Amino acid sequence: MIAFAPAAALFVFFCLSVREDRRRFRNAVLLGLTFVSLALGLLARIAHLPSTLALFLVVAVFLVPALGVVALACFLVANGVTMVRKEGGGLGNLLSLLAGLAIFGVLGLALVTALSGSVKLAWMTAMVVLIAAYVAFLFLCFLAYAYLYGRIKVRGDVDYVVMLGSGLVGGDRVPPLLASRLRKGKQIYEAQRARGGAAPVLLPSGGKGSDEKVPEARAMADWLIAEGVPAEHIRLEDRSRTTEENLSLSAAIMTEGKPGYRCVVVTNNFHAFRAAMMARKAGVNGQVLGSPTAAYFWPSATIREFAAVFMEHRGVNLAVCGSLLALGLVLTLVVH
């Protein structure tokens, strides 16, 4: 059972890290490494497995990922076309399309290399594939842990429900994306009151953009009041311009109102894990919950969130990618 020792150790580290704080990106990486180590352990023992189980393992480890990459590329391209048709051609809306085309590009490069028989090109391709594999591994870690983090339930009463703002329609109206957050916050508020708890303060957070007539927090509060929430149960944070400011300024308001406060922060599901990481840095005492998002919007939004997390850890990530690039160039020169 020595083959499974690394997976067991990594799983223990993962559990301890989650227990310490659920809002760390290292939890996602530890989860991914646990599954990789488990797969390697199973492969090391494949000769001792029943033939049916061994065949299933080989298919699961090699064939499924290979077919999955092609299927994913097709899905991302199709989703990118849908995004452009429904949301326009901004860079943020093109992310799923660009990701799908990038996957096809790497697959095409691998095919050309295999057909050419060039050793030099093979080293260059291996370098590109390794960098792509590293980024893909981190993305899958992010995706898997973000899904697990999204399963968090509110336990016990909270003192505040913070709802992060987003852009307004026409300068003063709440769009569907933001309404989803407000609806989720209102559900938490109503559920706590229904079980006999004290009404939490609803804290919409968002300042006034250059193209907006009112602060986002004011429009959010008006939406909540129109939905039946008493105005006295709402407090505004109307100075923030970014998510980081949403959280830090809201934390200051909550600390002033109740130093030992407990809260939940509400945003959309694609943004929940990254917002949780920022909440940790801002010293917010609470977890982040996600509200539903239109299915077609989710892939590009998730890729954008991952790209932001990747760059937040750019020191390590760029060092790894740079090392792989340098290794590939050195090997290419040696072969040449």
Side-chain angles (χ1 to χ4, degrees):
M1 303 305 287
I2 267 296
F4 300 106
L10 285 166
F11 182 69
V12 170
F13 289 143
F14 167 72
C15 292
L16 292 174
S17 184
V18 169
R19 183 176 181 182
E20 179 184 350
D21 197 322
R22 298 173 179 176
R23 303 170 296 177
R24 295 178 180 270
F25 185 63
R26 76 179 184 194
N27 299 342
V29 177
L30 286 170
L31 179 63
L33 290 174
T34 298
F35 279 106
V36 170
S37 298
L38 179 61
L40 292 176
L42 288 170
L43 288 174
R45 300 287 299 171
I46 195 169
H48 305 279
L49 297 176
S51 57
T52 303
L53 183 57
L55 177 61
F56 173 80
L57 178 61
V58 170
V59 169
V61 173
F62 296 107
L63 185 57
V64 170
L67 295 176
V69 167
V70 177
L72 176 62
C74 293
F75 168 77
L76 289 174
V77 170
N79 176 257
V81 172
T82 300
M83 277 292 292
V84 171
R85 190 173 68 251
K86 292 190 174 184
E87 300 289 337
L91 179 59
N93 299 331
L94 292 173
L95 289 178
S96 59
L97 177 62
L98 294 175
L101 293 176
I103 293 173
F104 278 125
V106 173
L107 294 175
L109 177 61
L111 179 60
V112 169
T113 301
L115 295 175
S116 71
S118 168
V119 177
K120 182 177 179 181
L121 183 58
W123 282 116
M124 294 176 63
T125 301
M127 170 192 68
V128 172
V129 170
L130 282 175
I131 293 175
Y134 173 73
V135 175
F137 169 73
L138 290 183
F139 178 69
L140 290 175
C141 291
F142 173 81
L143 202 61
Y145 188 73
Y147 174 81
L148 291 178
Y149 186 86
R151 309 278 74 75
I152 291 176
K153 304 295 182 184
V154 178
R155 298 183 182 276
D157 290 351
V158 296
D159 303 297
Y160 294 90
V161 179
V162 180
M163 289 155 289
L164 303 183
S166 67
L168 302 176
V169 176
D172 60 358
R173 299 192 311 278
V174 170
L177 192 75
L178 183 53
S180 174
R181 303 179 186 185
L182 297 174
R183 199 171 292 111
K184 179 75 172 181
K186 181 171 176 284
Q187 288 172 357
I188 297 169
Y189 165 86
E190 291 174 341
Q192 182 163 313
R193 295 192 72 187
R195 63 174 179 263
V201 176
L202 296 180
L203 185 56
S205 175
K208 182 177 178 292
S210 58
D211 59 343
E212 294 173 337
K213 301 174 184 176
V214 297
E216 292 167 8
R218 179 68 267 164
M220 295 160 72
D222 291 342
W223 188 97
L224 290 166
I225 292 170
E227 291 293 314
V229 177
E232 60 268 23
H233 292 169
I234 300 172
R235 182 169 180 183
L236 277 60
E237 182 292 292
D238 57 5
R239 296 186 294 123
S240 56
R241 295 290 186 273
T242 64
T243 301
E244 288 86 351
E245 289 184 359
N246 285 150
L247 294 164
S248 60
L249 294 176
S250 295
I253 290 174
M254 292 185 288
T255 300
E256 180 184 4
K258 186 173 182 178
Y261 74 88
R262 183 169 175 261
C263 77
V264 293
V265 179
V266 179
T267 184
N268 288 91
N269 50 14
F270 64 81
H271 187 231
F273 180 40
R274 180 169 167 245
M277 294 168 60
M278 289 188 282
R280 175 180 168 272
K281 291 181 181 179
V284 175
N285 182 26
Q287 301 296 333
V288 180
L289 302 184
S291 63
T293 307
Y296 76 88
F297 191 84
W298 184 86
S300 284
T302 301
I303 293 171
R304 183 173 65 246
E305 293 300 307
F306 168 72
V309 171
F310 186 90
M311 292 309 297
E312 284 173 12
H313 298 83
R314 58 184 171 272
V316 173
N317 291 326
L318 295 181
V320 172
C321 292
S323 298
L324 293 173
L325 178 62
L327 176 62
L329 292 175
V330 168
L331 292 174
T332 301
L333 292 174
V334 169
V335 171
H336 181 70

